[in-house]
Amino acid sequence: MSANGAVWGRVRSRLRAFPERLAACGAEAAAYGRCVQASTAPGGRLNKDLCAQEFEALRSCFVAAAKKTLKGGC
């Protein structure tokens, strides 16, 4: 039972660190949000892949943050 508790303790600490790591993606999130907002402004039309470059930058940042969290590095 104690081994199971140790595992959950590590999982909880990683999950707690995740929001802090995602905070490092603020610039990418803002760029993607601006792109979507500009595309949906009055008269604008949001089409598939219109903000693909911004989305890919945000996704890459999230993936990098997740990898750091899973490795347990702080």
Side-chain angles (χ1 to χ4, degrees):
M1 206 60 163
S2 63
N4 193 24
V7 170
W8 283 112
R10 287 192 305 266
V11 169
R12 276 193 295 273
S13 69
R14 290 177 189 155
L15 288 175
R16 285 187 195 116
F18 196 65
E20 295 170 11
R21 301 216 187 272
L22 288 183
C25 299
E28 291 85 350
Y32 180 65
R34 281 191 301 271
C35 181
V36 170
Q37 182 182 19
S39 301
T40 57
R45 297 187 70 187
L46 184 61
N47 295 319
K48 183 179 178 188
D49 295 333
L50 189 61
C51 299
Q53 183 178 359
E54 291 84 354
F55 178 79
E56 185 57 34
L58 180 59
R59 189 188 74 75
S60 296
C61 186
F62 282 171
V63 168
K67 284 181 181 178
K68 287 179 185 176
T69 301
L70 290 175
K71 289 180 182 177
C74 291

